[in-house]
Amino acid sequence: MTGPSTAQDRKTSIQPATGKLGILTPGLGAVATTFIAGVESVRRGLSKPIGSLTQMATIRLGKRTDNRSPLIKDFVPLAGLEDLVFGAWDPIPDDAYTAAKKAGVLEDRDLEPIKDFLSGIKPMPAAFENTYVTRINGTNVKTGSKREQAEALREDIRRFKSENGCDRVVLVWCASTEIYIKAGPQHATVEAFEKAMDANDAAIAPSMLYAWAAIMEGCAFANGAPNLTTDVPALLELANQKGVAVSGKDFKTGQTWMKTIIAPGMKARMLGLAGWYSTNILGNRDGEVLDDPASFKTKEESKLSVLHTILQPEKYPDLYEGFSHVVRINYYPPRGDNKEGWDNIDIVGWMGYPMQIKVNFLCRDSILAAPLVLDLALFSDFAQRAGMKGIQEWLSFYYKSPMTAPGLQPEHDLFIQQTKLKNTLRHLMGEDQITHLGLEYYA
């Protein structure tokens, strides 16, 4: 019988980040091309990795008086940017340069210096069905049954790994939001899931085929959309069997990111909430997809869950019971990727007096998402090398709808999520947790 692992055991059991890390993205649209272009730009010394914790954030170790605050990338054995290799699938056959030009996120001054690199990244045929994303039609798609498409994805992963000399591969979903699907008996066990694949069951969405293929090939999978994907019992069971790290879901970029900052502040001060109205205008491919009510339903579920979980109206009925929460997304082509979000927040203060907070966030959706893709790829690879299989709840910081173990309420408070992330890194590297108690300085 062995005892609990020591700090040194945890640290020494982490496999080194040697060799190349392949990052495969289902989707080669605005988010994926902005991410890939940004990494290459940083590698060439043309820009800085702004927005990336793995590249720019520090982590405090020990007491404040110890003055130990290394960069995370110097503290944790992460893959280096120079070791990253990129690939993608997409139903539209444009190479990364052409796709980036069409997306309109990055200007020519940023794209032209790396045109040679981006032009060399051509998407593999996608496992894609128009039924699940009704506003996109493409010719670069796989044929055959769902099982045949999933096996073809596995072959793609193996070929990409071999041709590029990669030691490891991770997948980060950067494609569109699929229609709303509820978990059913087809998702209950691995056996049921694979039978449903064989039967071409409509409950098996394309994103699930990518996740199944990734897990079967031992590749970590991060879900950047609100799709029902790895958060079903079958794929979680398979991930644990195969020792694969999975996380999700839905990149926390604009409006929801602001909610996870503002709502914890209101709750910390015990201020009440009467209502929160949110609307967005967005003109990129994601906005067009979300113009379909079935796809919007999937996104809406993701965005609506945040406030209730943070504010806990069942515990604080005087402050939050029955608050109104409305979310709207409007497709508006002239804006392209430059999303604008308006929030009207009706709050309640001392003696029941009403107040309002207005937020007008003019953000660039893919500019906010790109560093999240990088961090999730590097942290997912690190987690798997550290032997952390299944759900990676410590990566909740990056998601609108964080996955948790069955029966656990997700943590949406951004600041608690940040503490969870950094304390997980400290734990794995054999360092003490930071409690911020601080009494030792006044003894």
Side-chain angles (χ1 to χ4, degrees), residues 151-185:
E151 293 292 353
L153 291 172
R154 291 185 66 182
E155 177 56 35
D156 288 343
I157 294 169
R158 290 192 293 267
R159 185 177 61 253
F160 175 85
K161 189 174 181 181
S162 172
E163 289 178 355
N164 292 282
C166 295
D167 285 49
R168 307 168 313 286
V169 172
V170 300
L171 272 71
V172 183
W173 179 272
C174 295
S176 299
T177 298
E178 295 173 334
I179 60 171
Y180 184 66
I181 297 174
K182 284 188 174 180

PDB file of all heavy atoms in Angstrom, residues 151-185:
ATOM      1  N   GLU A 151     -13.033   7.732 -37.933  1.00  0.00           N
ATOM      2  CA  GLU A 151     -11.796   6.985 -38.192  1.00  0.00           C
ATOM      3  C   GLU A 151     -10.867   7.781 -39.122  1.00  0.00           C
ATOM      4  O   GLU A 151      -9.637   7.736 -38.975  1.00  0.00           O
ATOM      5  CB  GLU A 151     -12.109   5.612 -38.797  1.00  0.00           C
ATOM      6  CG  GLU A 151     -12.836   4.656 -37.843  1.00  0.00           C
ATOM      7  CD  GLU A 151     -11.985   4.201 -36.669  1.00  0.00           C
ATOM      8  OE1 GLU A 151     -10.774   4.495 -36.631  1.00  0.00           O
ATOM      9  OE2 GLU A 151     -12.539   3.538 -35.768  1.00  0.00           O
ATOM     10  N   ALA A 152     -11.457   8.516 -40.070  1.00  0.00           N
ATOM     11  CA  ALA A 152     -10.652   9.358 -40.960  1.00  0.00           C
ATOM     12  C   ALA A 152      -9.975  10.481 -40.173  1.00  0.00           C
ATOM     13  O   ALA A 152      -8.831  10.864 -40.471  1.00  0.00           O
ATOM     14  CB  ALA A 152     -11.532   9.943 -42.064  1.00  0.00           C
ATOM     15  N   LEU A 153     -10.663  11.009 -39.161  1.00  0.00           N
ATOM     16  CA  LEU A 153     -10.055  12.029 -38.294  1.00  0.00           C
ATOM     17  C   LEU A 153      -8.868  11.448 -37.530  1.00  0.00           C
ATOM     18  O   LEU A 153      -7.828  12.099 -37.380  1.00  0.00           O
ATOM     19  CB  LEU A 153     -11.090  12.589 -37.312  1.00  0.00           C
ATOM     20  CG  LEU A 153     -12.207  13.446 -37.905  1.00  0.00           C
ATOM     21  CD1 LEU A 153     -13.248  13.770 -36.841  1.00  0.00           C
ATOM     22  CD2 LEU A 153     -11.663  14.734 -38.519  1.00  0.00           C
ATOM     23  N   ARG A 154      -9.028  10.232 -37.054  1.00  0.00           N
ATOM     24  CA  ARG A 154      -7.906   9.573 -36.362  1.00  0.00           C
ATOM     25  C   ARG A 154      -6.710   9.428 -37.290  1.00  0.00           C
ATOM     26  O   ARG A 154      -5.558   9.670 -36.895  1.00  0.00           O
ATOM     27  CB  ARG A 154      -8.337   8.192 -35.847  1.00  0.00           C
ATOM     28  CG  ARG A 154      -9.331   8.208 -34.711  1.00  0.00           C
ATOM     29  CD  ARG A 154      -9.608   6.813 -34.187  1.00  0.00           C
ATOM     30  NE  ARG A 154      -8.408   6.226 -33.567  1.00  0.00           N
ATOM     31  CZ  ARG A 154      -8.359   4.994 -33.054  1.00  0.00           C
ATOM     32  NH1 ARG A 154      -9.431   4.208 -33.124  1.00  0.00           N
ATOM     33  NH2 ARG A 154      -7.267   4.550 -32.500  1.00  0.00           N
ATOM     34  N   GLU A 155      -6.986   9.056 -38.518  1.00  0.00           N
ATOM     35  CA  GLU A 155      -5.909   8.917 -39.504  1.00  0.00           C
ATOM     36  C   GLU A 155      -5.260  10.273 -39.790  1.00  0.00           C
ATOM     37  O   GLU A 155      -4.036  10.364 -39.931  1.00  0.00           O
ATOM     38  CB  GLU A 155      -6.460   8.295 -40.798  1.00  0.00           C
ATOM     39  CG  GLU A 155      -5.440   8.165 -41.922  1.00  0.00           C
ATOM     40  CD  GLU A 155      -4.199   7.381 -41.538  1.00  0.00           C
ATOM     41  OE1 GLU A 155      -4.310   6.415 -40.749  1.00  0.00           O
ATOM     42  OE2 GLU A 155      -3.099   7.741 -42.031  1.00  0.00           O
ATOM     43  N   ASP A 156      -6.060  11.327 -39.858  1.00  0.00           N
ATOM     44  CA  ASP A 156      -5.522  12.680 -40.041  1.00  0.00           C
ATOM     45  C   ASP A 156      -4.542  13.038 -38.924  1.00  0.00           C
ATOM     46  O   ASP A 156      -3.471  13.603 -39.168  1.00  0.00           O
ATOM     47  CB  ASP A 156      -6.653  13.716 -40.047  1.00  0.00           C
ATOM     48  CG  ASP A 156      -7.507  13.673 -41.295  1.00  0.00           C
ATOM     49  OD1 ASP A 156      -7.075  13.082 -42.300  1.00  0.00           O
ATOM     50  OD2 ASP A 156      -8.622  14.238 -41.251  1.00  0.00           O
ATOM     51  N   ILE A 157      -4.945  12.730 -37.687  1.00  0.00           N
ATOM     52  CA  ILE A 157      -4.095  13.047 -36.532  1.00  0.00           C
ATOM     53  C   ILE A 157      -2.778  12.287 -36.620  1.00  0.00           C
ATOM     54  O   ILE A 157      -1.695  12.854 -36.426  1.00  0.00           O
ATOM     55  CB  ILE A 157      -4.838  12.723 -35.211  1.00  0.00           C
ATOM     56  CG1 ILE A 157      -6.053  13.639 -35.032  1.00  0.00           C
ATOM     57  CG2 ILE A 157      -3.885  12.866 -34.010  1.00  0.00           C
ATOM     58  CD1 ILE A 157      -6.988  13.226 -33.902  1.00  0.00           C
ATOM     59  N   ARG A 158      -2.869  10.998 -36.928  1.00  0.00           N
ATOM     60  CA  ARG A 158      -1.649  10.185 -37.026  1.00  0.00           C
ATOM     61  C   ARG A 158      -0.734  10.684 -38.140  1.00  0.00           C
ATOM     62  O   ARG A 158       0.481  10.773 -37.964  1.00  0.00           O
ATOM     63  CB  ARG A 158      -2.026   8.710 -37.264  1.00  0.00           C
ATOM     64  CG  ARG A 158      -2.660   8.026 -36.068  1.00  0.00           C
ATOM     65  CD  ARG A 158      -2.731   6.520 -36.258  1.00  0.00           C
ATOM     66  NE  ARG A 158      -3.641   6.126 -37.316  1.00  0.00           N
ATOM     67  CZ  ARG A 158      -4.922   5.805 -37.127  1.00  0.00           C
ATOM     68  NH1 ARG A 158      -5.446   5.856 -35.903  1.00  0.00           N
ATOM     69  NH2 ARG A 158      -5.682   5.431 -38.132  1.00  0.00           N
ATOM     70  N   ARG A 159      -1.323  11.012 -39.284  1.00  0.00           N
ATOM     71  CA  ARG A 159      -0.532  11.483 -40.424  1.00  0.00           C
ATOM     72  C   ARG A 159       0.116  12.831 -40.099  1.00  0.00           C
ATOM     73  O   ARG A 159       1.307  13.043 -40.380  1.00  0.00           O
ATOM     74  CB  ARG A 159      -1.413  11.596 -41.663  1.00  0.00           C
ATOM     75  CG  ARG A 159      -0.637  11.967 -42.930  1.00  0.00           C
ATOM     76  CD  ARG A 159      -1.521  11.993 -44.158  1.00  0.00           C
ATOM     77  NE  ARG A 159      -2.584  12.969 -44.059  1.00  0.00           N
ATOM     78  CZ  ARG A 159      -3.870  12.666 -43.862  1.00  0.00           C
ATOM     79  NH1 ARG A 159      -4.254  11.388 -43.753  1.00  0.00           N
ATOM     80  NH2 ARG A 159      -4.783  13.611 -43.782  1.00  0.00           N
ATOM     81  N   PHE A 160      -0.658  13.757 -39.517  1.00  0.00           N
ATOM     82  CA  PHE A 160      -0.118  15.066 -39.149  1.00  0.00           C
ATOM     83  C   PHE A 160       1.046  14.915 -38.167  1.00  0.00           C
ATOM     84  O   PHE A 160       2.091  15.552 -38.318  1.00  0.00           O
ATOM     85  CB  PHE A 160      -1.223  15.919 -38.525  1.00  0.00           C
ATOM     86  CG  PHE A 160      -0.747  17.243 -37.997  1.00  0.00           C
ATOM     87  CD1 PHE A 160      -0.627  18.345 -38.828  1.00  0.00           C
ATOM     88  CD2 PHE A 160      -0.407  17.388 -36.653  1.00  0.00           C
ATOM     89  CE1 PHE A 160      -0.181  19.565 -38.341  1.00  0.00           C
ATOM     90  CE2 PHE A 160       0.043  18.609 -36.165  1.00  0.00           C
ATOM     91  CZ  PHE A 160       0.157  19.700 -37.008  1.00  0.00           C
ATOM     92  N   LYS A 161       0.865  14.049 -37.201  1.00  0.00           N
ATOM     93  CA  LYS A 161       1.913  13.831 -36.189  1.00  0.00           C
ATOM     94  C   LYS A 161       3.182  13.280 -36.842  1.00  0.00           C
ATOM     95  O   LYS A 161       4.298  13.733 -36.550  1.00  0.00           O
ATOM     96  CB  LYS A 161       1.380  12.868 -35.123  1.00  0.00           C
ATOM     97  CG  LYS A 161       2.258  12.709 -33.902  1.00  0.00           C
ATOM     98  CD  LYS A 161       1.557  11.851 -32.854  1.00  0.00           C
ATOM     99  CE  LYS A 161       2.424  11.701 -31.613  1.00  0.00           C
ATOM    100  NZ  LYS A 161       1.765  10.851 -30.586  1.00  0.00           N
ATOM    101  N   SER A 162       3.007  12.330 -37.739  1.00  0.00           N
ATOM    102  CA  SER A 162       4.148  11.703 -38.397  1.00  0.00           C
ATOM    103  C   SER A 162       4.853  12.666 -39.356  1.00  0.00           C
ATOM    104  O   SER A 162       6.071  12.815 -39.326  1.00  0.00           O
ATOM    105  CB  SER A 162       3.679  10.454 -39.154  1.00  0.00           C
ATOM    106  OG  SER A 162       4.707   9.937 -39.947  1.00  0.00           O
ATOM    107  N   GLU A 163       4.065  13.348 -40.195  1.00  0.00           N
ATOM    108  CA  GLU A 163       4.656  14.229 -41.212  1.00  0.00           C
ATOM    109  C   GLU A 163       5.389  15.421 -40.597  1.00  0.00           C
ATOM    110  O   GLU A 163       6.336  15.942 -41.176  1.00  0.00           O
ATOM    111  CB  GLU A 163       3.567  14.723 -42.166  1.00  0.00           C
ATOM    112  CG  GLU A 163       3.038  13.640 -43.093  1.00  0.00           C
ATOM    113  CD  GLU A 163       1.924  14.139 -43.991  1.00  0.00           C
ATOM    114  OE1 GLU A 163       1.499  15.312 -43.816  1.00  0.00           O
ATOM    115  OE2 GLU A 163       1.472  13.374 -44.865  1.00  0.00           O
ATOM    116  N   ASN A 164       4.943  15.843 -39.417  1.00  0.00           N
ATOM    117  CA  ASN A 164       5.542  17.013 -38.782  1.00  0.00           C
ATOM    118  C   ASN A 164       6.491  16.662 -37.642  1.00  0.00           C
ATOM    119  O   ASN A 164       7.014  17.559 -36.981  1.00  0.00           O
ATOM    120  CB  ASN A 164       4.444  17.948 -38.274  1.00  0.00           C
ATOM    121  CG  ASN A 164       3.663  18.586 -39.399  1.00  0.00           C
ATOM    122  OD1 ASN A 164       4.123  19.527 -40.029  1.00  0.00           O
ATOM    123  ND2 ASN A 164       2.481  18.043 -39.683  1.00  0.00           N
ATOM    124  N   GLY A 165       6.704  15.360 -37.419  1.00  0.00           N
ATOM    125  CA  GLY A 165       7.623  14.933 -36.377  1.00  0.00           C
ATOM    126  C   GLY A 165       7.220  15.372 -34.983  1.00  0.00           C
ATOM    127  O   GLY A 165       8.076  15.734 -34.161  1.00  0.00           O
ATOM    128  N   CYS A 166       5.916  15.352 -34.719  1.00  0.00           N
ATOM    129  CA  CYS A 166       5.417  15.808 -33.417  1.00  0.00           C
ATOM    130  C   CYS A 166       5.512  14.695 -32.375  1.00  0.00           C
ATOM    131  O   CYS A 166       5.203  13.532 -32.666  1.00  0.00           O
ATOM    132  CB  CYS A 166       3.961  16.260 -33.523  1.00  0.00           C
ATOM    133  SG  CYS A 166       3.720  17.706 -34.578  1.00  0.00           S
ATOM    134  N   ASP A 167       5.914  15.068 -31.181  1.00  0.00           N
ATOM    135  CA  ASP A 167       5.909  14.126 -30.061  1.00  0.00           C
ATOM    136  C   ASP A 167       4.506  13.978 -29.483  1.00  0.00           C
ATOM    137  O   ASP A 167       4.133  12.908 -29.021  1.00  0.00           O
ATOM    138  CB  ASP A 167       6.855  14.602 -28.957  1.00  0.00           C
ATOM    139  CG  ASP A 167       8.314  14.389 -29.329  1.00  0.00           C
ATOM    140  OD1 ASP A 167       8.710  14.765 -30.445  1.00  0.00           O
ATOM    141  OD2 ASP A 167       9.052  13.836 -28.501  1.00  0.00           O
ATOM    142  N   ARG A 168       3.759  15.091 -29.488  1.00  0.00           N
ATOM    143  CA  ARG A 168       2.433  15.117 -28.887  1.00  0.00           C
ATOM    144  C   ARG A 168       1.533  16.019 -29.727  1.00  0.00           C
ATOM    145  O   ARG A 168       2.013  16.897 -30.441  1.00  0.00           O
ATOM    146  CB  ARG A 168       2.483  15.667 -27.433  1.00  0.00           C
ATOM    147  CG  ARG A 168       3.477  14.955 -26.559  1.00  0.00           C
ATOM    148  CD  ARG A 168       3.727  15.666 -25.236  1.00  0.00           C
ATOM    149  NE  ARG A 168       3.975  17.094 -25.307  1.00  0.00           N
ATOM    150  CZ  ARG A 168       5.110  17.658 -25.734  1.00  0.00           C
ATOM    151  NH1 ARG A 168       6.106  16.886 -26.136  1.00  0.00           N
ATOM    152  NH2 ARG A 168       5.245  18.971 -25.746  1.00  0.00           N
ATOM    153  N   VAL A 169       0.228  15.802 -29.597  1.00  0.00           N
ATOM    154  CA  VAL A 169      -0.755  16.613 -30.324  1.00  0.00           C
ATOM    155  C   VAL A 169      -1.899  16.960 -29.379  1.00  0.00           C
ATOM    156  O   VAL A 169      -2.325  16.120 -28.580  1.00  0.00           O
ATOM    157  CB  VAL A 169      -1.304  15.861 -31.567  1.00  0.00           C
ATOM    158  CG1 VAL A 169      -2.462  16.617 -32.201  1.00  0.00           C
ATOM    159  CG2 VAL A 169      -0.200  15.638 -32.602  1.00  0.00           C
ATOM    160  N   VAL A 170      -2.382  18.190 -29.463  1.00  0.00           N
ATOM    161  CA  VAL A 170      -3.602  18.582 -28.748  1.00  0.00           C
ATOM    162  C   VAL A 170      -4.588  19.145 -29.766  1.00  0.00           C
ATOM    163  O   VAL A 170      -4.182  19.682 -30.802  1.00  0.00           O
ATOM    164  CB  VAL A 170      -3.340  19.624 -27.638  1.00  0.00           C
ATOM    165  CG1 VAL A 170      -2.372  19.084 -26.598  1.00  0.00           C
ATOM    166  CG2 VAL A 170      -2.820  20.936 -28.208  1.00  0.00           C
ATOM    167  N   LEU A 171      -5.876  19.021 -29.467  1.00  0.00           N
ATOM    168  CA  LEU A 171      -6.920  19.601 -30.303  1.00  0.00           C
ATOM    169  C   LEU A 171      -7.638  20.689 -29.520  1.00  0.00           C
ATOM    170  O   LEU A 171      -8.000  20.477 -28.355  1.00  0.00           O
ATOM    171  CB  LEU A 171      -7.948  18.552 -30.745  1.00  0.00           C
ATOM    172  CG  LEU A 171      -7.644  17.770 -32.034  1.00  0.00           C
ATOM    173  CD1 LEU A 171      -6.479  16.797 -31.811  1.00  0.00           C
ATOM    174  CD2 LEU A 171      -8.877  17.016 -32.511  1.00  0.00           C
ATOM    175  N   VAL A 172      -7.844  21.840 -30.151  1.00  0.00           N
ATOM    176  CA  VAL A 172      -8.618  22.926 -29.555  1.00  0.00           C
ATOM    177  C   VAL A 172      -9.722  23.302 -30.541  1.00  0.00           C
ATOM    178  O   VAL A 172      -9.434  23.739 -31.661  1.00  0.00           O
ATOM    179  CB  VAL A 172      -7.741  24.163 -29.243  1.00  0.00           C
ATOM    180  CG1 VAL A 172      -8.592  25.233 -28.546  1.00  0.00           C
ATOM    181  CG2 VAL A 172      -6.555  23.780 -28.370  1.00  0.00           C
ATOM    182  N   TRP A 173     -10.967  23.125 -30.131  1.00  0.00           N
ATOM    183  CA  TRP A 173     -12.102  23.403 -31.004  1.00  0.00           C
ATOM    184  C   TRP A 173     -12.215  24.910 -31.227  1.00  0.00           C
ATOM    185  O   TRP A 173     -12.463  25.671 -30.288  1.00  0.00           O
ATOM    186  CB  TRP A 173     -13.387  22.862 -30.395  1.00  0.00           C
ATOM    187  CG  TRP A 173     -14.605  23.135 -31.241  1.00  0.00           C
ATOM    188  CD1 TRP A 173     -15.389  24.248 -31.210  1.00  0.00           C
ATOM    189  CD2 TRP A 173     -15.167  22.286 -32.250  1.00  0.00           C
ATOM    190  NE1 TRP A 173     -16.405  24.159 -32.136  1.00  0.00           N
ATOM    191  CE2 TRP A 173     -16.279  22.963 -32.784  1.00  0.00           C
ATOM    192  CE3 TRP A 173     -14.825  21.028 -32.739  1.00  0.00           C
ATOM    193  CZ2 TRP A 173     -17.069  22.415 -33.798  1.00  0.00           C
ATOM    194  CZ3 TRP A 173     -15.608  20.483 -33.751  1.00  0.00           C
ATOM    195  CH2 TRP A 173     -16.724  21.160 -34.270  1.00  0.00           C
ATOM    196  N   CYS A 174     -12.069  25.348 -32.478  1.00  0.00           N
ATOM    197  CA  CYS A 174     -12.187  26.762 -32.852  1.00  0.00           C
ATOM    198  C   CYS A 174     -13.255  26.948 -33.922  1.00  0.00           C
ATOM    199  O   CYS A 174     -13.292  27.997 -34.588  1.00  0.00           O
ATOM    200  CB  CYS A 174     -10.852  27.291 -33.358  1.00  0.00           C
ATOM    201  SG  CYS A 174      -9.536  27.332 -32.128  1.00  0.00           S
ATOM    202  N   ALA A 175     -14.101  25.963 -34.102  1.00  0.00           N
ATOM    203  CA  ALA A 175     -15.121  26.027 -35.147  1.00  0.00           C
ATOM    204  C   ALA A 175     -16.416  26.610 -34.587  1.00  0.00           C
ATOM    205  O   ALA A 175     -16.491  27.040 -33.444  1.00  0.00           O
ATOM    206  CB  ALA A 175     -15.348  24.629 -35.735  1.00  0.00           C
ATOM    207  N   SER A 176     -17.444  26.579 -35.406  1.00  0.00           N
ATOM    208  CA  SER A 176     -18.694  27.257 -35.080  1.00  0.00           C
ATOM    209  C   SER A 176     -19.510  26.519 -34.016  1.00  0.00           C
ATOM    210  O   SER A 176     -19.267  25.356 -33.700  1.00  0.00           O
ATOM    211  CB  SER A 176     -19.540  27.404 -36.344  1.00  0.00           C
ATOM    212  OG  SER A 176     -18.868  28.173 -37.306  1.00  0.00           O
ATOM    213  N   THR A 177     -20.495  27.234 -33.507  1.00  0.00           N
ATOM    214  CA  THR A 177     -21.426  26.676 -32.528  1.00  0.00           C
ATOM    215  C   THR A 177     -22.449  25.789 -33.233  1.00  0.00           C
ATOM    216  O   THR A 177     -23.113  26.224 -34.186  1.00  0.00           O
ATOM    217  CB  THR A 177     -22.155  27.810 -31.780  1.00  0.00           C
ATOM    218  OG1 THR A 177     -21.192  28.598 -31.077  1.00  0.00           O
ATOM    219  CG2 THR A 177     -23.176  27.253 -30.800  1.00  0.00           C
ATOM    220  N   GLU A 178     -22.584  24.563 -32.761  1.00  0.00           N
ATOM    221  CA  GLU A 178     -23.564  23.638 -33.326  1.00  0.00           C
ATOM    222  C   GLU A 178     -24.945  23.879 -32.719  1.00  0.00           C
ATOM    223  O   GLU A 178     -25.084  24.574 -31.710  1.00  0.00           O
ATOM    224  CB  GLU A 178     -23.123  22.197 -33.067  1.00  0.00           C
ATOM    225  CG  GLU A 178     -21.828  21.832 -33.777  1.00  0.00           C
ATOM    226  CD  GLU A 178     -21.297  20.462 -33.396  1.00  0.00           C
ATOM    227  OE1 GLU A 178     -21.599  19.982 -32.268  1.00  0.00           O
ATOM    228  OE2 GLU A 178     -20.555  19.878 -34.201  1.00  0.00           O
ATOM    229  N   ILE A 179     -25.942  23.273 -33.334  1.00  0.00           N
ATOM    230  CA  ILE A 179     -27.301  23.379 -32.805  1.00  0.00           C
ATOM    231  C   ILE A 179     -27.368  22.747 -31.419  1.00  0.00           C
ATOM    232  O   ILE A 179     -26.529  21.938 -31.032  1.00  0.00           O
ATOM    233  CB  ILE A 179     -28.330  22.712 -33.743  1.00  0.00           C
ATOM    234  CG1 ILE A 179     -28.022  21.211 -33.917  1.00  0.00           C
ATOM    235  CG2 ILE A 179     -28.395  23.422 -35.077  1.00  0.00           C
ATOM    236  CD1 ILE A 179     -29.107  20.446 -34.650  1.00  0.00           C
ATOM    237  N   TYR A 180     -28.389  23.131 -30.671  1.00  0.00           N
ATOM    238  CA  TYR A 180     -28.550  22.661 -29.291  1.00  0.00           C
ATOM    239  C   TYR A 180     -28.927  21.179 -29.272  1.00  0.00           C
ATOM    240  O   TYR A 180     -29.852  20.752 -29.947  1.00  0.00           O
ATOM    241  CB  TYR A 180     -29.628  23.485 -28.599  1.00  0.00           C
ATOM    242  CG  TYR A 180     -29.812  23.157 -27.149  1.00  0.00           C
ATOM    243  CD1 TYR A 180     -28.810  23.425 -26.223  1.00  0.00           C
ATOM    244  CD2 TYR A 180     -30.999  22.580 -26.687  1.00  0.00           C
ATOM    245  CE1 TYR A 180     -28.974  23.134 -24.877  1.00  0.00           C
ATOM    246  CE2 TYR A 180     -31.179  22.285 -25.348  1.00  0.00           C
ATOM    247  CZ  TYR A 180     -30.165  22.562 -24.448  1.00  0.00           C
ATOM    248  OH  TYR A 180     -30.331  22.267 -23.119  1.00  0.00           O
ATOM    249  N   ILE A 181     -28.168  20.414 -28.514  1.00  0.00           N
ATOM    250  CA  ILE A 181     -28.418  18.978 -28.362  1.00  0.00           C
ATOM    251  C   ILE A 181     -28.422  18.643 -26.872  1.00  0.00           C
ATOM    252  O   ILE A 181     -27.560  19.120 -26.122  1.00  0.00           O
ATOM    253  CB  ILE A 181     -27.332  18.132 -29.067  1.00  0.00           C
ATOM    254  CG1 ILE A 181     -27.345  18.381 -30.574  1.00  0.00           C
ATOM    255  CG2 ILE A 181     -27.517  16.636 -28.779  1.00  0.00           C
ATOM    256  CD1 ILE A 181     -26.211  17.691 -31.316  1.00  0.00           C
ATOM    257  N   LYS A 182     -29.378  17.836 -26.450  1.00  0.00           N
ATOM    258  CA  LYS A 182     -29.396  17.374 -25.062  1.00  0.00           C
ATOM    259  C   LYS A 182     -28.773  15.982 -24.977  1.00  0.00           C
ATOM    260  O   LYS A 182     -28.924  15.170 -25.894  1.00  0.00           O
ATOM    261  CB  LYS A 182     -30.832  17.319 -24.523  1.00  0.00           C
ATOM    262  CG  LYS A 182     -31.414  18.687 -24.188  1.00  0.00           C
ATOM    263  CD  LYS A 182     -32.749  18.541 -23.474  1.00  0.00           C
ATOM    264  CE  LYS A 182     -33.263  19.887 -23.002  1.00  0.00           C
ATOM    265  NZ  LYS A 182     -34.568  19.764 -22.297  1.00  0.00           N
ATOM    266  N   ALA A 183     -28.104  15.722 -23.880  1.00  0.00           N
ATOM    267  CA  ALA A 183     -27.509  14.401 -23.679  1.00  0.00           C
ATOM    268  C   ALA A 183     -28.617  13.353 -23.588  1.00  0.00           C
ATOM    269  O   ALA A 183     -29.659  13.582 -22.968  1.00  0.00           O
ATOM    270  CB  ALA A 183     -26.660  14.396 -22.416  1.00  0.00           C
ATOM    271  N   GLY A 184     -28.382  12.220 -24.212  1.00  0.00           N
ATOM    272  CA  GLY A 184     -29.375  11.148 -24.205  1.00  0.00           C
ATOM    273  C   GLY A 184     -28.727   9.795 -23.983  1.00  0.00           C
ATOM    274  O   GLY A 184     -27.525   9.706 -23.688  1.00  0.00           O
ATOM    275  N   PRO A 185     -29.472   8.724 -24.143  1.00  0.00           N
ATOM    276  CA  PRO A 185     -28.930   7.375 -23.928  1.00  0.00           C
ATOM    277  C   PRO A 185     -27.767   7.047 -24.865  1.00  0.00           C
ATOM    278  O   PRO A 185     -26.919   6.218 -24.529  1.00  0.00           O
ATOM    279  CB  PRO A 185     -30.135   6.453 -24.179  1.00  0.00           C
ATOM    280  CG  PRO A 185     -31.151   7.287 -24.905  1.00  0.00           C
ATOM    281  CD  PRO A 185     -30.923   8.682 -24.462  1.00  0.00           C
TER     282      PRO A 185
END
